[in-house]
């Protein structure tokens, strides 16, 4: 879909172009109309000058004196002509050089301004004046060649077209700049949404134009709703797990009752099922504790988070004086921060429990997130490692050295449709875990 900026730019540019064409046509018409009006006024002055020279004679004839107007009417084909008709008799100007000028008949007290063709088919503007004087019907017609005016109008038209085209280009440029400036707030909202997606912001600022303020308000409301529901969900899981712990303790005590001495199979079955429920409760409690009261975000910075986590683990396992080495990108990774902290926390917690002195952590991110954790502890047998990597298997405390933490890690890896590999570290000789999570946008 076309961007809003391009759509506004094209629409407004089209409107400007239409306005420019209409304006140019109107201006061209106005320029020509003004030029012809000035020419018509000049012809009218000459016509009234001729009319003032009309004189009657004793033999009922009407005469006039053409010397009272410009001598240009006496020069052949000068472009300035007149034709005076007294009744049916015509008196052409010497400049017509016997050319039969076609004029329109006019009634008394009638004035006409019209176009006709002159010598050489050149366009003429004609001013016609009709009157009755000395008992005769008189038509006075004066014409002027429009060729020179058309040439001047064409020059003016070209110059004005260039000027208006320059103005149009400048207007389009200014319009594009103004559209970009006006949409800057919309772009900033998009960047803030990206920051919300990256976990660096919890809401969008409301300093936006009135038109998009309702949309921003609804987005902020949805963000608050998601955070609230996520926190409520985690709190409910923790509360449920805590509520089940007392009944589980009672079941453990019941399993120890002497009544089951005669039925060891029932005691073993009750203990096994109770222990299985207990492991599930402990796992959810551990996830709830790791989640804690952190704000819900959708991204995390591996280097920043790992520095804080490393400091915490060194304090917990201070008696071991562990050497924890890590490499991690210093940037935002678009995976849920709480899930990533749960995985890192559990992997490093297990590594700290079983390591002798050294733990190596390597985190890389390109199209996928890869986390490798290795220690110099006892590790696990190759047969156990193959069993642990089976798809869909849930790990628990029965696996020597790695229990509840790996079960949580495997749950999260499965939720991201990632892969988990468990084996022995070639560099440190202990336990090694490698997981990969693909980024799904």
């Amino acid at each position: 879909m076309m961007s809003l900026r391009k759509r506004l730019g094209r629409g407004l540019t089209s409107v400007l172009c239409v306005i420019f064409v209409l304006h140019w046509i109107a201006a061209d018409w106005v320029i020509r109309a003004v030029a012809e009006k000035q020419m018509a006024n000049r012809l009218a002055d000459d016509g009234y000058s001729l009319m003032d020279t009309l004189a009657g004679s004793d033999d009922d004839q009407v005469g006039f004196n053409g010397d009272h107007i410009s001598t240009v009417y006496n020069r052949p084909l000068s472009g300035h002509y007149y034709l005076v008709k007294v009744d049916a008799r015509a008196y052409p100007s010497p400049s017509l050089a016997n050319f039969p000028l076609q004029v329109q008949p006019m009634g008394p007290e009638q004035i006409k301004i019209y176009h006709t063709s002159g010598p050489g088919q050149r366009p003429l503007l004609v001013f016609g004046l009709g009157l009755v004087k000395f008992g005769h019907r008189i038509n006075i017609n004066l014409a002027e060649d429009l060729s020179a005016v058309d040439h001047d109008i064409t020059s003016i038209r070209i110059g004005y077209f260039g000027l208006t085209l320059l103005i149009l280009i400048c207007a389009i440029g200014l319009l594009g700049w103004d559209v970009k400036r006006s949409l800057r707030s919309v772009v900033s909202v998009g960047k803030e949404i990206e920051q919300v997606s990256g976990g660096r912001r919890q809401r969008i600022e409301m300093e936006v134009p009135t038109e998009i303020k309702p949309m921003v308000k609804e987005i902020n409301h949805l963000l608050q709703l998601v955070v609230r529901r996520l926190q409520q969900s985690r709190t409910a899981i923790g509360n449920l797990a805590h509520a089940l712990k007392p009944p589980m303790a009672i079941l453990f005590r019941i399993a120890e009752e002497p009544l089951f001495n005669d039925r060891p199979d029932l005691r073993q079955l009750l203990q096994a099922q109770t222990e299985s429920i207990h492991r599930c409760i402990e796992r959810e409690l551990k996830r709830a504790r790791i989640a804690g009261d952190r704000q819900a975000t959708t991204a995390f910075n591996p280097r920043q988070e790992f520095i804080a986590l490393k400091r915490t683990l060194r304090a917990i396992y201070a008696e071991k004086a562990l050497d924890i080495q890590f490499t991690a990108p210093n940037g935002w990774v678009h995976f849920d921060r709480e899930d990533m902290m749960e995985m890192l926390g559990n992997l490093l917690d297990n590594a700290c429990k079983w390591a002798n002195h050294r733990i190596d952590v390597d985190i890389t991110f390109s199209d996928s997130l890869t986390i490798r954790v290795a220690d110099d502890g006892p590790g696990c047998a190759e047969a156990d490692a193959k069993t642990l990597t089976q798809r869909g298997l849930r790990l628990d405390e029965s696996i020597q050295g790695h229990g509840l933490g790996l079960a949580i890690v495997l749950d999260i890896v499965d939720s991201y449709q990632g892969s988990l590999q468990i084996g022995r570290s070639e560099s440190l000789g202990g336990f090694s875990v490698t997981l990969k999570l693909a980024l799904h946008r």
Side-chain angles (χ1 to χ4, degrees):
M1 181 178 292
M2 186 186 301
S3 67
L4 184 60
R5 178 182 172 185
K6 287 184 177 180
R7 185 176 301 176
L8 287 173
R10 290 187 180 182
L12 293 175
T13 300
S14 300
V15 172
L16 276 179
C17 290
V18 171
I19 294 175
F20 162 75
V21 172
L22 295 177
H23 170 75
W24 185 81
I25 292 174
D28 180 69
W29 176 83
V30 169
I31 292 172
R32 187 175 187 88
V34 169
E36 291 187 0
K37 179 67 175 177
Q38 294 296 322
M39 184 182 294
N41 290 336
R42 185 169 60 253
L43 292 174
D45 292 339
D46 292 344
Y48 286 118
S49 296
L50 275 178
M51 184 182 68
D52 291 340
T53 65
L54 293 174
S57 62
D58 295 337
D59 57 356
D60 197 29
Q61 296 294 320
V62 177
F64 68 94
N65 188 356
D67 295 336
H68 285 76
I69 60 174
S70 176
T71 59
V72 73
Y73 292 95
N74 296 322
R75 190 167 61 249
L77 303 177
S78 63
H80 292 74
Y81 315 104
Y82 68 77
L83 180 63
V84 179
K85 285 188 175 183
V86 179
D87 295 330
R89 187 174 180 179
Y91 298 92
S93 65
S95 58
L96 279 172
N98 297 323
F99 178 79
L101 182 65
Q102 301 295 323
V103 296
Q104 297 179 6
M106 287 169 291
E109 306 301 327
Q110 187 177 7
I111 295 176
K112 285 185 179 182
I113 298 175
Y114 57 93
H115 295 85
T116 189
S117 297
Q121 297 299 313
R122 299 169 77 88
L124 299 178
L125 178 67
V126 181
F127 172 81
L129 175 64
L131 67 152
V132 175
K133 198 171 184 179
F134 308 113
H136 296 273
R137 187 173 181 176
I138 303 172
N139 286 345
I140 300 176
N141 298 276
L142 293 101
E144 185 172 340
D145 193 345
L146 286 172
S147 299
V149 175
D150 286 340
H151 181 269
D152 293 339
I153 291 176
T154 301
S155 300
I156 296 174
R157 181 184 295 137
I158 294 174
Y160 187 73
F161 177 81
L163 177 62
T164 50
L165 183 62
L166 178 62
I167 295 174
L168 175 65
I169 294 173
C170 293
I172 292 175
L174 291 173
L175 179 65
W177 172 82
D178 187 60
V179 169
K180 182 179 180 180
R181 183 183 61 84
S182 301
L183 293 178
R184 193 173 298 162
S185 56
V186 179
V187 175
S188 65
V189 170
K191 291 181 179 178
E192 289 187 12
I193 292 176
E194 184 178 354
Q195 291 176 355
V196 170
S197 176
R200 291 166 284 175
R201 184 185 290 269
Q202 294 299 316
R203 67 190 308 276
I204 302 173
E205 298 299 329
M206 294 297 291
E207 296 297 328
V208 295
T210 305
E211 291 77 7
I212 63 173
K213 185 171 290 186
M215 179 187 70
V216 173
K217 184 177 180 181
E218 290 301 319
I219 291 176
N220 284 334
H221 176 70
L222 289 174
L223 290 173
Q224 293 174 357
L225 185 62
V226 169
V227 171
R228 190 183 308 119
R229 288 184 176 178
L230 179 59
Q231 292 175 344
Q232 289 174 350
S233 176
R234 294 184 183 277
T235 302
I237 291 174
N239 292 340
L240 177 61
H242 279 291
L244 290 176
K245 289 192 72 175
M248 292 303 305
I250 295 175
L251 288 177
F252 276 119
R253 288 199 297 270
I254 291 175
E256 299 297 330
E257 290 291 330
L259 296 175
F260 289 97
N261 291 338
D262 296 334
R263 297 295 303 274
D265 55 334
L266 290 178
R267 172 178 288 172
Q268 183 178 4
L269 179 61
L270 178 59
Q271 289 177 339
Q273 295 302 318
T274 305
E275 187 68 25
S276 176
I277 297 174
H278 177 69
R279 285 195 297 269
C280 293
I281 292 173
E282 289 296 326
R283 183 170 63 190
E284 295 306 322
L285 280 175
K286 190 169 185 179
R287 296 191 68 173
R289 284 195 300 269
I290 294 175
D293 295 328
R294 296 190 186 103
Q295 293 178 328
T297 60
T298 57
F300 81 116
N301 187 307
R303 179 175 291 275
Q304 293 179 2
E305 302 291 355
F306 194 86
I307 291 174
L309 186 60
K310 177 180 176 181
R311 188 181 303 114
T312 302
L313 290 171
R314 279 181 170 175
I316 295 174
Y317 297 96
E319 72 281 358
K320 285 193 171 185
L322 294 172
D323 179 18
I324 303 176
Q325 301 293 328
F326 75 94
T327 57
N330 186 18
W332 295 102
V333 178
H334 291 273
F335 287 95
D336 186 81
R337 176 178 179 269
E338 295 177 8
D339 288 341
M340 298 303 105
M341 290 302 294
E342 287 182 37
M343 287 196 302
L344 281 175
N346 284 292
L347 289 175
L348 289 172
D349 182 58
N350 280 330
C352 290
K353 286 179 181 178
W354 298 101
N356 294 323
H357 301 288
R358 176 72 178 270
I359 297 173
D360 287 346
V361 181
D362 182 26
I363 302 175
T364 58
F365 176 73
S366 55
D367 293 334
S368 62
L369 178 68
T370 302
I371 301 176
R372 298 182 182 89
V373 179
D375 59 59
D376 60 351
C380 68
E382 184 177 352
D384 292 335
K386 291 181 179 180
T387 303
L388 295 177
T389 55
Q390 290 180 8
R391 182 177 179 82
L393 188 63
R394 291 297 182 267
L395 308 179
D396 56 31
E397 297 102 321
S398 63
I399 301 301
Q400 182 180 4
H402 300 273
L404 210 57
L406 285 179
I408 295 176
V409 171
L410 189 57
D411 285 341
I412 297 174
V413 170
D414 287 344
S415 68
Y416 282 93
Q417 298 180 348
S419 63
L420 177 68
Q421 295 180 348
I422 299 175
R424 185 173 294 276
S425 172
E426 296 181 359
S427 58
L428 300 181
F431 194 75
S432 174
V433 178
T434 302
L435 60 90
K436 291 185 179 181
L437 304 178
L439 179 60
H440 299 285
R441 291 189 179 274

